[in-house]
Structures are given as structure tokens and as C-alpha cells.
Amino acid sequence: MKFIKVWISSFVITMTFSTNSYSSIKEEFARILTLSESEKRMMSVNEPYSYENYITFALIASGVIDREIPRYKEIVDKLVFDLNADIESKQVSDGKDTLAEFILGYLHRRLFRQYFANQTKIDEMLWNRRFNCVSSSVLYTAICRNFGINITGLVVPDHVLVQLRMSTTKIDIETTIRYGFDPASKKEVLDHLGKLTGFVYVDQKNYKQRSEISDRQMIALIYSNRYKALNDQKRHAEATRVLYAGW
């Protein structure tokens, strides 16, 4: 219900800046509710997402236009190619937990340079290497899919992290910090998380504060953060469209 109210509020504000002409309002409403071909395809693809779909959908949610998607996808593909070469050269064990931990460290060495609370968009992260919990979690999850590693999203109050799902257990991964693999028993890592992000780690015992989310919901977090940023900038028409696409 909260999101419905926000959407209606945003739309009403948008219409306030429109002409009073009924036909103009109809045209603006239609424009806001028109999805691109890529967005339509994204809505029709079943979960769980493949690596290819995860990356593509994350770029779409970030606002990348259709013709620019291959260019950004090429950057991620090159990152994965180099990662695979590093795995082979260092003879990293093919155990899912060992590999997942190695990938997190690799991304922090190669891409995740600076935590920036509002940096949700994947395309901008690829250029300026700034990241937040959403952008780092989404990219990490997508890349792990390329290696057959089952990573899923996890939402806690005002924060998102991910989990490695094993046959008999689940391992938390805080993607915002380099040593965030299985952080529960690492006090110095949790202290670093708090200093860097201001967030407090919510461990698995506090299950009522933790919600596992689907691939689609992970992608929707990008839309949600973009909506807030656009709305704060009073770009209400754009904000409304982003919220609708992320619905």
C-alpha cells in the first residue's frame, strides 16, 4: 500500500506540471506507462535469471538505453573473462564457497573502489568504480551465476546483502566490504562494515529482520533507489516512469 500511495502522489505532482488539456494529460500518462522492448522482455523472463539476463536487466533498470546495453555488457564480459583467467592461474578450488569468496575479493581489487551510498546504477559503477550495497550485490550475484554459484538477495533494515545457498546451509556475504564473505564471526570485518556504511550486520539468528528476495526483486531495488533520487531532484515525471517500470 505504501508504494501505491507513493506512485499516486508522484503521478499527481507530475500532472500538476502538465498542461490542463485532457488530451495532453492522456499523452503524458501514456508516455510514462510505455515500456521499451527490453523492459517488456524483462517482464516476461522467468526466474532464476541466467548471467546474461541478470546483467542485461540490471543495466536496463539502471536506465541504460537499448542501443548502449551491448557496450556495457562487453565491459562486464571482459571482467568475467579476466576473472576466469585469474581463477585458473591461481588454481582456485572449484568448491562453491571457495570460489564465491575469491570472486568477492577479485571484484574489490578490480572494480569496487569506493563506497558511495547513492551509487546504485550499474553503468556508472563500471565507469567510476563507486558502489553501494545494491549495485555491488547485483553485480556480484550476476557474475557468480556465470560460474554456476547460486547467490540470492537478502534485505535487512535499510540495507541489502546476499547469500550463498549450499545444499545444507546458507552463507551470508556482505558485498560492500572485501572480506565480507561469511562475516558473522569476524568482529573486525563487522566493525569495518559499520564504519564504511553506517549499517549494522543482522545475523541469521535475527531472522525476523531478514527477508530473502527473488532475482526480480533484486533488480527492482535499482529502480526503487533511482525513483528516490529522481523524486528528490523534483524530476517527477521521470521518477514516476521509473517506479512504474520497477513495479
Side-chain angles (χ1 to χ4, degrees), residues 97-117:
D97 52 347
T98 302
L99 197 52
E101 185 171 13
F102 183 84
I103 291 170
L104 179 64
Y106 182 87
L107 288 176
H108 274 274
R109 294 194 303 273
R110 283 288 306 273
L111 182 63
F112 301 160
R113 176 177 294 174
Q114 180 183 18
Y115 176 81
F116 195 75

Side-chain angles (χ1 to χ4, degrees), residues 51-187:
Y51 160 72
E52 297 286 340
N53 283 334
Y54 219 123
I55 290 296
T56 300
F57 298 163
L59 289 169
I60 293 169
S62 298
V64 178
I65 59 176
D66 289 1
R67 68 173 179 271
E68 292 292 325
I69 288 174
R71 180 162 67 96
Y72 288 102
K73 176 67 168 49
E74 200 172 293
I75 295 172
V76 181
D77 287 344
K78 177 64 165 59
L79 184 67
V80 170
F81 179 86
D82 291 344
L83 167 60
N84 192 56
D86 205 35
I87 289 169
E88 292 181 357
S89 69
K90 290 184 170 65
Q91 298 183 323
V92 179
S93 166
D94 59 1
K96 301 299 185 187
D97 52 347
T98 302
L99 197 52
E101 185 171 13
F102 183 84
I103 291 170
L104 179 64
Y106 182 87
L107 288 176
H108 274 274
R109 294 194 303 273
R110 283 288 306 273
L111 182 63
F112 301 160
R113 176 177 294 174
Q114 180 183 18
Y115 176 81
F116 195 75
N118 297 323
Q119 180 50 287
T120 297
K121 298 172 67 175
I122 302 301
D123 55 322
E124 292 186 7
M125 179 177 65
L126 292 172
W127 287 120
N128 60 31
R129 300 189 181 183
R130 290 180 173 180
F131 64 93
N132 69 0
C133 61
V134 173
S135 53
S136 60
S137 291
V138 167
L139 188 70
Y140 174 77
T141 300
I143 288 177
C144 282
R145 292 287 167 90
N146 183 74
F147 294 90
I149 302 172
N150 186 18
I151 300 290
T152 57
L154 184 66
V155 170
V156 297
D158 299 318
H159 185 53
V160 62
L161 60 153
V162 297
Q163 282 187 328
L164 169 62
R165 300 174 69 94
M166 306 285 281
S167 57
T168 59
T169 190
K170 299 174 183 177
I171 301 174
D172 287 352
I173 305 169
E174 283 281 0
T175 60
T176 52
I177 47 180
R178 180 171 179 174
Y179 300 103
F181 186 86
D182 195 12
S185 61
K186 305 173 183 175
K187 183 179 183 303

